[in-house]
mmCIF file of all heavy atoms in Angstrom:
data_model
loop_
_atom_site.group_PDB
_atom_site.id
_atom_site.type_symbol
_atom_site.label_atom_id
_atom_site.label_comp_id
_atom_site.label_asym_id
_atom_site.label_seq_id
_atom_site.Cartn_x
_atom_site.Cartn_y
_atom_site.Cartn_z
ATOM 1 N N LEU A 1 235.429 232.981 86.670
ATOM 2 C CA LEU A 1 234.183 232.661 85.983
ATOM 3 C C LEU A 1 233.771 231.212 86.228
ATOM 4 O O LEU A 1 232.615 230.920 86.528
ATOM 5 C CB LEU A 1 234.324 232.920 84.477
ATOM 6 C CG LEU A 1 234.252 234.382 84.013
ATOM 7 C CD1 LEU A 1 234.394 234.451 82.503
ATOM 8 C CD2 LEU A 1 232.936 235.018 84.444
ATOM 9 N N VAL A 2 234.714 230.304 86.068
ATOM 10 C CA VAL A 2 234.431 228.885 86.281
ATOM 11 C C VAL A 2 233.995 228.642 87.719
ATOM 12 O O VAL A 2 232.983 227.969 87.976
ATOM 13 C CB VAL A 2 235.671 228.033 85.934
ATOM 14 C CG1 VAL A 2 235.445 226.578 86.322
ATOM 15 C CG2 VAL A 2 236.005 228.146 84.455
ATOM 16 N N PHE A 3 234.752 229.195 88.649
ATOM 17 C CA PHE A 3 234.419 229.020 90.068
ATOM 18 C C PHE A 3 233.070 229.652 90.397
ATOM 19 O O PHE A 3 232.283 229.097 91.164
ATOM 20 C CB PHE A 3 235.519 229.637 90.937
ATOM 21 C CG PHE A 3 235.326 229.400 92.410
ATOM 22 C CD1 PHE A 3 235.637 228.176 92.974
ATOM 23 C CD2 PHE A 3 234.807 230.404 93.233
ATOM 24 C CE1 PHE A 3 235.452 227.944 94.332
ATOM 25 C CE2 PHE A 3 234.615 230.182 94.587
ATOM 26 C CZ PHE A 3 234.940 228.949 95.140
ATOM 27 N N GLY A 4 232.788 230.787 89.801
ATOM 28 C CA GLY A 4 231.523 231.469 90.054
ATOM 29 C C GLY A 4 230.323 230.669 89.568
ATOM 30 O O GLY A 4 229.302 230.583 90.264
ATOM 31 N N VAL A 5 230.436 230.086 88.364
ATOM 32 C CA VAL A 5 229.336 229.271 87.836
ATOM 33 C C VAL A 5 229.095 228.056 88.734
ATOM 34 O O VAL A 5 227.942 227.711 89.040
ATOM 35 C CB VAL A 5 229.641 228.832 86.389
ATOM 36 C CG1 VAL A 5 228.641 227.777 85.925
ATOM 37 C CG2 VAL A 5 229.618 230.029 85.445
ATOM 38 N N ALA A 6 230.163 227.386 89.181
ATOM 39 C CA ALA A 6 230.029 226.219 90.060
ATOM 40 C C ALA A 6 229.392 226.614 91.394
ATOM 41 O O ALA A 6 228.483 225.927 91.885
ATOM 42 C CB ALA A 6 231.388 225.578 90.287
ATOM 43 N N ALA A 7 229.875 227.723 91.968
ATOM 44 C CA ALA A 7 229.333 228.171 93.253
ATOM 45 C C ALA A 7 227.870 228.580 93.120
ATOM 46 O O ALA A 7 227.043 228.264 93.994
ATOM 47 C CB ALA A 7 230.164 229.342 93.789
ATOM 48 N N PHE A 8 227.529 229.273 92.013
ATOM 49 C CA PHE A 8 226.146 229.683 91.783
ATOM 50 C C PHE A 8 225.226 228.463 91.676
ATOM 51 O O PHE A 8 224.142 228.434 92.267
ATOM 52 C CB PHE A 8 226.060 230.525 90.499
ATOM 53 C CG PHE A 8 224.668 230.906 90.096
ATOM 54 C CD1 PHE A 8 223.999 231.929 90.752
ATOM 55 C CD2 PHE A 8 224.006 230.234 89.074
ATOM 56 C CE1 PHE A 8 222.695 232.269 90.395
ATOM 57 C CE2 PHE A 8 222.715 230.572 88.715
ATOM 58 C CZ PHE A 8 222.066 231.596 89.371
ATOM 59 N N THR A 9 225.659 227.446 90.942
ATOM 60 C CA THR A 9 224.862 226.215 90.796
ATOM 61 C C THR A 9 224.642 225.553 92.147
ATOM 62 O O THR A 9 223.527 225.128 92.473
ATOM 63 C CB THR A 9 225.570 225.229 89.855
ATOM 64 O OG1 THR A 9 225.830 225.867 88.600
ATOM 65 C CG2 THR A 9 224.725 223.991 89.630
ATOM 66 N N LEU A 10 225.706 225.461 92.931
ATOM 67 C CA LEU A 10 225.620 224.835 94.250
ATOM 68 C C LEU A 10 224.653 225.595 95.158
ATOM 69 O O LEU A 10 223.809 224.997 95.840
ATOM 70 C CB LEU A 10 227.013 224.780 94.883
ATOM 71 C CG LEU A 10 227.130 224.198 96.297
ATOM 72 C CD1 LEU A 10 226.646 222.765 96.322
ATOM 73 C CD2 LEU A 10 228.567 224.284 96.793
ATOM 74 N N ILE A 11 224.753 226.913 95.158
ATOM 75 C CA ILE A 11 223.893 227.732 96.026
ATOM 76 C C ILE A 11 222.426 227.608 95.609
ATOM 77 O O ILE A 11 221.536 227.479 96.462
ATOM 78 C CB ILE A 11 224.354 229.209 95.985
ATOM 79 C CG1 ILE A 11 225.725 229.342 96.656
ATOM 80 C CG2 ILE A 11 223.338 230.112 96.671
ATOM 81 C CD1 ILE A 11 226.375 230.694 96.470
ATOM 82 N N VAL A 12 222.163 227.641 94.308
ATOM 83 C CA VAL A 12 220.783 227.499 93.825
ATOM 84 C C VAL A 12 220.203 226.151 94.255
ATOM 85 O O VAL A 12 219.057 226.067 94.715
ATOM 86 C CB VAL A 12 220.727 227.651 92.288
ATOM 87 C CG1 VAL A 12 219.348 227.252 91.762
ATOM 88 C CG2 VAL A 12 221.044 229.081 91.877
ATOM 89 N N ALA A 13 220.990 225.091 94.122
ATOM 90 C CA ALA A 13 220.515 223.757 94.511
ATOM 91 C C ALA A 13 220.188 223.703 96.004
ATOM 92 O O ALA A 13 219.165 223.126 96.410
ATOM 93 C CB ALA A 13 221.560 222.707 94.165
ATOM 94 N N VAL A 14 221.037 224.301 96.832
ATOM 95 C CA VAL A 14 220.817 224.309 98.281
ATOM 96 C C VAL A 14 219.578 225.124 98.638
ATOM 97 O O VAL A 14 218.754 224.706 99.467
ATOM 98 C CB VAL A 14 222.060 224.863 99.015
ATOM 99 C CG1 VAL A 14 221.765 225.063 100.498
ATOM 100 C CG2 VAL A 14 223.247 223.923 98.837
ATOM 101 N N LEU A 15 219.406 226.294 98.009
ATOM 102 C CA LEU A 15 218.264 227.156 98.322
ATOM 103 C C LEU A 15 216.942 226.507 97.914
ATOM 104 O O LEU A 15 215.950 226.587 98.650
ATOM 105 C CB LEU A 15 218.434 228.512 97.629
ATOM 106 C CG LEU A 15 219.567 229.401 98.166
ATOM 107 C CD1 LEU A 15 219.674 230.679 97.350
ATOM 108 C CD2 LEU A 15 219.339 229.727 99.646
ATOM 109 N N ILE A 16 216.926 225.864 96.748
ATOM 110 C CA ILE A 16 215.694 225.198 96.305
ATOM 111 C C ILE A 16 215.356 224.049 97.250
ATOM 112 O O ILE A 16 214.195 223.852 97.622
ATOM 113 C CB ILE A 16 215.839 224.686 94.857
ATOM 114 C CG1 ILE A 16 215.955 225.866 93.879
ATOM 115 C CG2 ILE A 16 214.648 223.811 94.478
ATOM 116 C CD1 ILE A 16 216.210 225.446 92.450
ATOM 117 N N LYS A 17 216.361 223.300 97.656
ATOM 118 C CA LYS A 17 216.139 222.197 98.591
ATOM 119 C C LYS A 17 215.615 222.715 99.928
ATOM 120 O O LYS A 17 214.775 222.083 100.580
ATOM 121 C CB LYS A 17 217.447 221.424 98.795
ATOM 122 C CG LYS A 17 217.321 220.196 99.701
ATOM 123 C CD LYS A 17 216.513 219.105 99.039
ATOM 124 C CE LYS A 17 216.513 217.831 99.854
ATOM 125 N NZ LYS A 17 215.696 216.770 99.240
ATOM 126 N N ARG A 18 216.102 223.894 100.311
ATOM 127 C CA ARG A 18 215.720 224.450 101.613
ATOM 128 C C ARG A 18 214.317 225.058 101.601
ATOM 129 O O ARG A 18 213.522 224.834 102.522
ATOM 130 C CB ARG A 18 216.746 225.524 102.022
ATOM 131 C CG ARG A 18 216.403 226.284 103.292
ATOM 132 C CD ARG A 18 216.500 225.381 104.512
ATOM 133 N NE ARG A 18 216.274 226.111 105.732
ATOM 134 C CZ ARG A 18 215.067 226.401 106.242
ATOM 135 N NH1 ARG A 18 213.979 225.986 105.600
ATOM 136 N NH2 ARG A 18 214.933 227.064 107.362
ATOM 137 N N PHE A 19 214.000 225.808 100.572
ATOM 138 C CA PHE A 19 212.749 226.562 100.574
ATOM 139 C C PHE A 19 211.668 225.965 99.670
ATOM 140 O O PHE A 19 210.486 226.253 99.852
ATOM 141 C CB PHE A 19 213.013 228.014 100.154
ATOM 142 C CG PHE A 19 213.905 228.749 101.113
ATOM 143 C CD1 PHE A 19 215.234 229.012 100.801
ATOM 144 C CD2 PHE A 19 213.420 229.169 102.348
ATOM 145 C CE1 PHE A 19 216.061 229.687 101.696
ATOM 146 C CE2 PHE A 19 214.241 229.841 103.249
ATOM 147 C CZ PHE A 19 215.559 230.098 102.925
ATOM 148 N N LEU A 20 212.044 225.170 98.681
ATOM 149 C CA LEU A 20 211.070 224.545 97.784
ATOM 150 C C LEU A 20 211.396 223.055 97.648
ATOM 151 O O LEU A 20 211.756 222.562 96.576
ATOM 152 C CB LEU A 20 211.100 225.224 96.407
ATOM 153 C CG LEU A 20 210.769 226.720 96.382
ATOM 154 C CD1 LEU A 20 211.120 227.321 95.032
ATOM 155 C CD2 LEU A 20 209.294 226.955 96.708
ATOM 156 N N PRO A 21 211.293 222.301 98.747
ATOM 157 C CA PRO A 21 211.753 220.899 98.751
ATOM 158 C C PRO A 21 211.002 219.984 97.804
ATOM 159 O O PRO A 21 211.499 218.916 97.461
ATOM 160 C CB PRO A 21 211.546 220.472 100.211
ATOM 161 C CG PRO A 21 210.507 221.406 100.746
ATOM 162 C CD PRO A 21 210.727 222.705 100.042
ATOM 163 N N SER A 22 209.801 220.376 97.374
ATOM 164 C CA SER A 22 209.026 219.513 96.477
ATOM 165 C C SER A 22 209.524 219.574 95.033
ATOM 166 O O SER A 22 209.145 218.736 94.214
ATOM 167 C CB SER A 22 207.545 219.900 96.521
ATOM 168 O OG SER A 22 207.373 221.245 96.091
ATOM 169 N N LEU A 23 210.369 220.563 94.713
ATOM 170 C CA LEU A 23 210.870 220.716 93.348
ATOM 171 C C LEU A 23 212.175 219.956 93.167
ATOM 172 O O LEU A 23 212.941 219.781 94.132
ATOM 173 C CB LEU A 23 211.083 222.201 93.029
ATOM 174 C CG LEU A 23 209.821 223.081 93.059
ATOM 175 C CD1 LEU A 23 210.180 224.531 92.736
ATOM 176 C CD2 LEU A 23 208.781 222.567 92.081
ATOM 177 N N PRO A 24 212.492 219.505 91.936
ATOM 178 C CA PRO A 24 213.766 218.799 91.665
ATOM 179 C C PRO A 24 214.937 219.775 91.688
ATOM 180 O O PRO A 24 215.273 220.390 90.679
ATOM 181 C CB PRO A 24 213.533 218.198 90.272
ATOM 182 C CG PRO A 24 212.519 219.087 89.633
ATOM 183 C CD PRO A 24 211.632 219.579 90.732
ATOM 184 N N ASN A 25 215.562 219.925 92.840
ATOM 185 C CA ASN A 25 216.571 220.982 93.013
ATOM 186 C C ASN A 25 217.794 220.802 92.123
ATOM 187 O O ASN A 25 218.329 221.793 91.592
ATOM 188 C CB ASN A 25 216.995 221.058 94.481
ATOM 189 C CG ASN A 25 217.716 219.814 94.957
ATOM 190 O OD1 ASN A 25 217.338 218.695 94.619
ATOM 191 N ND2 ASN A 25 218.761 220.003 95.745
ATOM 192 N N LEU A 26 218.244 219.562 91.924
ATOM 193 C CA LEU A 26 219.445 219.357 91.105
ATOM 194 C C LEU A 26 219.188 219.724 89.648
ATOM 195 O O LEU A 26 220.023 220.367 88.998
ATOM 196 C CB LEU A 26 219.910 217.908 91.216
ATOM 197 C CG LEU A 26 220.351 217.430 92.604
ATOM 198 C CD1 LEU A 26 220.880 215.999 92.527
ATOM 199 C CD2 LEU A 26 221.410 218.346 93.193
ATOM 200 N N LEU A 27 218.043 219.323 89.146
ATOM 201 C CA LEU A 27 217.708 219.621 87.753
ATOM 202 C C LEU A 27 217.572 221.124 87.534
ATOM 203 O O LEU A 27 218.115 221.680 86.562
ATOM 204 C CB LEU A 27 216.411 218.905 87.368
ATOM 205 C CG LEU A 27 215.956 219.059 85.907
ATOM 206 C CD1 LEU A 27 217.003 218.493 84.958
ATOM 207 C CD2 LEU A 27 214.609 218.386 85.694
ATOM 208 N N LEU A 28 216.865 221.799 88.425
ATOM 209 C CA LEU A 28 216.679 223.244 88.287
ATOM 210 C C LEU A 28 218.005 223.981 88.467
ATOM 211 O O LEU A 28 218.253 225.001 87.790
ATOM 212 C CB LEU A 28 215.657 223.739 89.309
ATOM 213 C CG LEU A 28 214.222 223.228 89.104
ATOM 214 C CD1 LEU A 28 213.307 223.743 90.214
ATOM 215 C CD2 LEU A 28 213.699 223.664 87.737
ATOM 216 N N ALA A 29 218.864 223.494 89.359
ATOM 217 C CA ALA A 29 220.173 224.130 89.548
ATOM 218 C C ALA A 29 221.037 223.970 88.301
ATOM 219 O O ALA A 29 221.777 224.892 87.927
ATOM 220 C CB ALA A 29 220.869 223.525 90.763
ATOM 221 N N MET A 30 220.961 222.808 87.649
ATOM 222 C CA MET A 30 221.704 222.607 86.401
ATOM 223 C C MET A 30 221.231 223.575 85.318
ATOM 224 O O MET A 30 222.036 224.167 84.581
ATOM 225 C CB MET A 30 221.533 221.163 85.921
ATOM 226 C CG MET A 30 222.305 220.144 86.734
ATOM 227 S SD MET A 30 221.915 218.419 86.287
ATOM 228 C CE MET A 30 222.387 218.399 84.589
ATOM 229 N N ILE A 31 219.918 223.776 85.238
ATOM 230 C CA ILE A 31 219.379 224.713 84.254
ATOM 231 C C ILE A 31 219.834 226.136 84.575
ATOM 232 O O ILE A 31 220.259 226.890 83.681
ATOM 233 C CB ILE A 31 217.837 224.625 84.231
ATOM 234 C CG1 ILE A 31 217.399 223.248 83.728
ATOM 235 C CG2 ILE A 31 217.244 225.733 83.366
ATOM 236 C CD1 ILE A 31 215.908 223.011 83.829
ATOM 237 N N ALA A 32 219.775 226.508 85.854
ATOM 238 C CA ALA A 32 220.193 227.853 86.260
ATOM 239 C C ALA A 32 221.672 228.077 85.974
ATOM 240 O O ALA A 32 222.078 229.145 85.480
ATOM 241 C CB ALA A 32 219.901 228.055 87.745
ATOM 242 N N GLY A 33 222.503 227.081 86.281
ATOM 243 C CA GLY A 33 223.937 227.208 86.014
ATOM 244 C C GLY A 33 224.232 227.311 84.531
ATOM 245 O O GLY A 33 225.122 228.072 84.116
ATOM 246 N N SER A 34 223.491 226.571 83.713
ATOM 247 C CA SER A 34 223.683 226.640 82.255
ATOM 248 C C SER A 34 223.294 228.005 81.714
ATOM 249 O O SER A 34 224.000 228.578 80.862
ATOM 250 C CB SER A 34 222.851 225.550 81.572
ATOM 251 O OG SER A 34 223.231 224.268 82.024
ATOM 252 N N LEU A 35 222.189 228.560 82.205
ATOM 253 C CA LEU A 35 221.757 229.885 81.751
ATOM 254 C C LEU A 35 222.766 230.956 82.146
ATOM 255 O O LEU A 35 223.065 231.878 81.363
ATOM 256 C CB LEU A 35 220.379 230.211 82.340
ATOM 257 C CG LEU A 35 219.212 229.345 81.826
ATOM 258 C CD1 LEU A 35 217.930 229.694 82.574
ATOM 259 C CD2 LEU A 35 219.035 229.529 80.326
ATOM 260 N N LEU A 36 223.310 230.853 83.355
ATOM 261 C CA LEU A 36 224.326 231.818 83.779
ATOM 262 C C LEU A 36 225.571 231.720 82.904
ATOM 263 O O LEU A 36 226.154 232.742 82.498
ATOM 264 C CB LEU A 36 224.702 231.571 85.248
ATOM 265 C CG LEU A 36 225.830 232.453 85.797
ATOM 266 C CD1 LEU A 36 225.425 233.936 85.782
ATOM 267 C CD2 LEU A 36 226.230 232.025 87.217
ATOM 268 N N ALA A 37 225.988 230.473 82.589
ATOM 269 C CA ALA A 37 227.174 230.292 81.748
ATOM 270 C C ALA A 37 226.960 230.890 80.363
ATOM 271 O O ALA A 37 227.863 231.539 79.800
ATOM 272 C CB ALA A 37 227.500 228.802 81.639
ATOM 273 N N LEU A 38 225.763 230.707 79.799
ATOM 274 C CA LEU A 38 225.472 231.292 78.488
ATOM 275 C C LEU A 38 225.473 232.807 78.559
ATOM 276 O O LEU A 38 225.952 233.507 77.641
ATOM 277 C CB LEU A 38 224.111 230.786 77.988
ATOM 278 C CG LEU A 38 224.035 229.301 77.603
ATOM 279 C CD1 LEU A 38 222.606 228.911 77.245
ATOM 280 C CD2 LEU A 38 224.966 229.002 76.427
ATOM 281 N N GLU A 39 224.958 233.354 79.670
ATOM 282 C CA GLU A 39 224.933 234.806 79.839
ATOM 283 C C GLU A 39 226.343 235.379 79.945
ATOM 284 O O GLU A 39 226.618 236.491 79.474
ATOM 285 C CB GLU A 39 224.132 235.147 81.104
ATOM 286 C CG GLU A 39 223.966 236.627 81.368
ATOM 287 C CD GLU A 39 223.121 237.319 80.307
ATOM 288 O OE1 GLU A 39 222.303 236.638 79.647
ATOM 289 O OE2 GLU A 39 223.292 238.547 80.134
ATOM 290 N N LEU A 40 227.253 234.603 80.523
ATOM 291 C CA LEU A 40 228.645 235.063 80.682
ATOM 292 C C LEU A 40 229.486 234.844 79.433
ATOM 293 O O LEU A 40 230.646 235.252 79.397
ATOM 294 C CB LEU A 40 229.288 234.334 81.868
ATOM 295 C CG LEU A 40 228.690 234.647 83.251
ATOM 296 C CD1 LEU A 40 229.323 233.754 84.317
ATOM 297 C CD2 LEU A 40 228.898 236.123 83.613
ATOM 298 N N GLY A 41 228.948 234.178 78.420
ATOM 299 C CA GLY A 41 229.682 233.997 77.174
ATOM 300 C C GLY A 41 229.958 232.562 76.803
ATOM 301 O O GLY A 41 230.485 232.294 75.720
#
């Protein structure tokens, strides 16, 4: 679970940087990782 949340955050940050470079990728990845962690418990 821990490894999955970290990997998911990293992948989201990379994808946003790649396809939506004008958006703050680190901030959005942190939000996405937090939402996933809450969903997992």
Side-chain angles (χ1 to χ4, degrees):
L1 283 181
V2 173
F3 185 78
V5 169
F8 175 77
T9 304
L10 178 60
I11 292 170
V12 170
V14 172
L15 291 177
I16 293 175
K17 183 69 173 178
R18 174 69 176 83
F19 297 105
L20 300 168
S22 61
L23 297 179
N25 65 319
L26 297 184
L27 183 61
L28 294 178
M30 287 172 60
I31 295 173
S34 300
L35 293 175
L36 176 63
L38 291 175
E39 183 66 24
L40 294 174

